[in-house]
């Protein structure tokens, strides 16, 4: 529903008033069809000028709104567009969105974490974009620029509910200097898990070097799932959630746990590091210091961790000393969709409020925010992976690593299931990796994991084993 300025803001303390206020919010009294000449729209995001994600808020206020209003004016339409900022913890923002949508209120265009999409759909808060705004959605030029795998970030059960913003990807980083000392190639690209282990065995001969770092255990949190367990799972042809069922002690889960056993039981990784509270940060520092040979991480590691100028674990020689490779499937063709290589991605999306008084125009605003021109304006010269391949080709031309993820990683990537119980299943997965890292057998760890998942998701009928 469109709101008069600030009408739908509803500060956290006033949550209970949202339902009462919902009926009071709205645009003009003019019929709200496609041909309306006076429209009122609102945009909400968890960003605020001078606070959280300030640059995103500035882009909406100073670029999106004036440009969109101007474009509408050229068509003879008077548009009033308001930004409803937030600058709170993600869970608080999520709660506010849910309350707004449940009470048929809230902004017309809403920014949402991709991991919330399925949960919001199941609660009835979101509807497919084409159901809200009609046929114009499917004919949008932008879909042809967003790889189908990336569209998955804003989709649920094969329907599009949102347009993805930026995204990311997971790869294997390796230290070329250590590889040279171990007699390994500078342009390494393993084609199977065994080839990773073989490289690890050669690196093991170097004193003071941990051959492989693949996040394990609960201290690493979601980084264990996203950088380790889930890429391995999809590499074994499995998915954590598929066709309404969660993966239990399935063969792909056992294959994934077996890889952990071979790394940590085979002396190719440092099990103690996985248990430390700051273990992930320590792994970053060790890689930067030339003490880790191979490390599985996202592009964040390249951009923000080992960045020679702004990184938290700077590597002055990053561009020459660090190689990167695709994560291989267990063996060629064994990955999901019959893939030879895999990745995992995350990111935010923007959706339409199904209660919008001006759904057609809300789609015009949403699709405008995701046009090539708008996406480039939002980047403001920064090199970041966007959902649009045309923009990526242009803005990442000078960054071979991010181009590598865009060109090679995104077409084979996968996403976490956007469901409310996923975080609990993820913890169970992390616990299973911790158990095999500590020496428990794969079968024991997989059985314990299956039992936990059955308890989380409502019984064995919802689990594949």
């Amino acid at each position: 529903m469109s709101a008069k300025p600030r009408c739908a803001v509803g500060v956290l303390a006033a949550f209970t008033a949202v339902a009462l206020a919902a009926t009071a919010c709205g645009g003009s009294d003019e019929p709200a069809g496609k041909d309306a000449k006076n429209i009122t729209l609102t945009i909400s995001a968890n960003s605020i000028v001078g606070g959280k994600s300030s640059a995103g808020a500035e882009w909406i206020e100073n670029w999106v709104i004036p440009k969109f209003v101007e474009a509408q004016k050229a068509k003879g339409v008077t548009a009033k567009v308001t930004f409803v900022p937030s600058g709170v913890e993600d869970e608080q923002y999520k709660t506010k969105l849910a309350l707004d949508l449940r009470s048929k209120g809230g902004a017309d265009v809403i920014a949402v974490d991709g991991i919330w999409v399925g949960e919001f759909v199941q609660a009835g808060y979101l509807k497919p974009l084409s159901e809200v705004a009609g046929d114009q959605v499917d004919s949008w030029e932008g879909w042809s620029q967003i790889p189908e795998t990336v569209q998955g970030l804003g989709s649920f059960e094969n329907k599009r509910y949102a347009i993805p913003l930026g995204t990311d990807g997971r790869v294997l980083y390796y230290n070329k200097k250590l590889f040279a000392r171990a007699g390994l190639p500078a342009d390494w690209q393993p084609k199977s898990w065994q080839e990773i282990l073989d490289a690890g065995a050669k690196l093991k001969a170097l004193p003071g070097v941990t051959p492989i770092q693949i996040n394990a255990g609960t201290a690493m949190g979601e980084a264990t799932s996203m950088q380790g367990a889930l890429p391995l799972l999809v590499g074994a042809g499995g998915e954590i959630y598929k066709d309404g069922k969660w993966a239990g002690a399935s063969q792909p889960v056992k294959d994934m746990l077996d890889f952990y056993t071979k790394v940590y039981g085979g002396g190719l990784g440092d099990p103690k590091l996985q248990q430390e509270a700051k273990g992930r940060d320590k792994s970053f520092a060790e890689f930067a210091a030339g003490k880790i040979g191979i490390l599985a991480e996202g592009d964040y590691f390249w951009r923000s961790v080992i960045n020679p100028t702004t990184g938290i674990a700077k590597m002055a020689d990053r561009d020459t000393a660090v190689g990167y490779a695709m994560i291989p499937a267990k063996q060629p063709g064994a990955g999901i969709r019959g893939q030879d290589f895999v990745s995992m991605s995350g990111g935010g999306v923007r959706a339409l409020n199904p209660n919008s008084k001006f759904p057609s125009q809300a789609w015009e605003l949403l699709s405008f925010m995701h046009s090539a021109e708008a996406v480039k304006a939002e980047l403001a010269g920064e090199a970041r992976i966007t959902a649009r391949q045309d923009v990526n080709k242009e803005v990442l031309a000078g960054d071979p690593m991010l181009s590598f993820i865009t060109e090679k990683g995104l077409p084979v990537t996968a996403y976490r299931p956007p469901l409310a119980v996923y975080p609990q299943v993820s913890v169970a997965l992390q616990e299973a990796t911790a158990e095999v890292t500590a020496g428990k057998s794969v079968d024991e760890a997989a059985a314990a994991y299956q039992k936990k998942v059955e308890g989380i998701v409502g019984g064995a009928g919802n689990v594949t084993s």
Side-chain angles (χ1 to χ4, degrees):
M1 175 185 289
S2 291
K4 291 188 177 113
R6 305 282 177 191
C7 187
V9 175
V11 288
L12 294 170
F15 270 173
T16 49
V18 173
L20 297 171
T23 51
C25 299
S28 65
D29 296 328
E30 181 174 325
K34 284 183 183 176
D35 303 321
K37 294 297 178 196
N38 286 289
I39 61 170
T40 307
L41 297 169
T42 47
I43 303 166
S44 78
N46 195 11
S47 57
I48 190 163
V49 174
K52 186 170 186 170
S53 305
S54 180
E58 287 170 34
W59 169 71
I60 292 170
E61 290 185 359
N62 302 332
W63 196 93
V64 172
I65 291 175
K67 291 268 187 188
F68 181 78
V69 169
E70 191 185 322
Q72 290 297 309
K73 190 177 179 183
K75 296 198 306 184
V77 175
T78 302
K80 184 175 187 182
V81 185
T82 310
F83 176 49
V84 182
S86 288
V88 294
E89 292 295 322
D90 289 350
E91 284 303 313
Q92 283 179 298
Y93 175 70
K94 180 186 178 186
T95 302
K96 182 193 176 320
L97 277 186
L99 287 171
D100 282 347
L101 291 165
R102 187 163 64 210
S103 61
K104 311 286 186 206
D108 300 88
V109 173
I110 48 179
V112 179
D113 191 322
I115 197 79
W116 305 339
V117 171
E119 185 182 344
F120 276 29
V121 169
Q122 289 184 332
Y125 301 154
L126 293 179
K127 288 186 177 159
L129 291 171
S130 56
E131 210 174 290
V132 179
D135 295 343
Q136 58 179 337
V137 169
D138 293 331
S139 59
W140 179 50
E141 59 80 28
W143 297 125
S144 66
Q145 295 295 343
I146 303 174
E148 235 171 276
T149 49
V150 178
Q151 290 182 33
L153 183 58
S155 302
F156 184 64
E157 292 175 346
N158 299 316
K159 289 181 180 174
R160 295 177 183 136
Y161 288 86
I163 305 180
L165 302 164
T167 188
D168 58 9
R170 298 322 178 259
V171 295
L172 296 175
Y173 293 95
Y174 59 96
N175 186 309
K176 290 183 181 179
K177 290 180 176 176
L178 298 178
F179 265 50
R181 283 170 53 199
L184 289 161
D187 58 347
W188 182 63
Q189 177 53 73
K191 293 184 172 64
S192 67
W193 293 358
Q194 189 55 50
E195 289 186 13
I196 301 173
L197 298 169
D198 292 345
K202 287 193 173 181
L203 289 161
K204 194 178 177 184
L206 304 179
V209 170
T210 300
I212 299 169
Q213 170 58 31
I214 182 149
N215 296 344
T218 52
M220 297 271 188
E222 189 59 16
T224 287
S225 302
M226 278 298 272
Q227 267 75 276
L230 292 177
L232 289 169
L233 184 61
V234 294
E239 290 179 71
I240 194 70
Y241 179 83
K242 191 182 180 187
D243 301 330
K245 293 196 172 188
W246 294 87
S250 60
Q251 193 54 49
V253 166
K254 289 181 178 178
D255 288 345
M256 173 267 293
L257 292 173
D258 183 56
F259 183 81
Y260 274 101
T261 299
K262 284 176 175 153
V263 171
Y264 292 105
L268 300 178
D270 178 0
K272 287 201 179 97
L273 190 61
Q274 316 315 308
Q275 296 161 17
E276 292 184 21
K278 298 273 184 190
R280 190 176 178 213
D281 290 343
K282 195 172 171 186
S283 76
F284 294 163
E286 287 187 7
F287 185 93
K291 292 179 180 173
I292 287 175
I294 300 165
L295 174 127
E297 262 297 338
D299 57 86
Y300 158 80
F301 181 71
W302 181 265
R303 288 183 292 108
S304 304
V305 178
I306 54 171
N307 187 306
T309 49
T310 59
I312 54 171
K314 294 181 184 69
M315 276 187 88
D317 58 354
R318 177 196 72 175
D319 294 354
T320 53
V322 181
Y324 37 85
M326 298 282 290
I327 300 172
K330 185 176 182 231
Q331 61 251 349
I336 54 164
R337 304 181 286 256
Q339 292 172 190
D340 297 337
F341 300 100
V342 296
S343 188
M344 286 297 297
S345 300
V349 299
R350 289 191 191 97
L352 288 182
N353 188 332
N355 311 299
S356 175
K357 188 174 177 185
F358 297 101
S360 180
Q361 295 87 344
W363 165 256
E364 282 184 50
L365 175 57
L366 174 62
S367 55
F368 172 71
M369 291 172 80
H370 290 265
S371 64
E373 185 194 6
V375 172
K376 279 188 277 187
E378 186 175 13
L379 288 173
E382 197 184 334
R384 265 203 337 263
I385 297 171
T386 76
R388 293 188 64 115
Q389 293 290 54
D390 53 353
V391 174
N392 290 336
K393 275 198 182 80
E394 192 179 322
V395 302
L396 302 179
D399 195 314
M401 196 280 144
L402 295 182
S403 295
F404 178 82
I405 289 188
T406 300
E407 290 160 20
K408 302 275 182 77
L410 295 188
V412 296
T413 201
Y415 291 90
R416 294 168 290 184
L419 296 165
V421 297
Y422 165 75
Q424 291 165 266
V425 174
S426 180
V427 170
L429 203 59
Q430 293 158 31
E431 288 167 349
T433 66
E435 287 172 1
V436 291
T437 300
K440 201 175 242 191
S441 79
V442 165
D443 285 345
E444 276 181 292
Y449 160 75
Q450 162 124 3
K451 201 172 178 188
K452 283 175 198 165
V453 174
E454 286 174 3
I456 293 163
V457 304
N462 297 321
V463 179
T464 316
S465 56

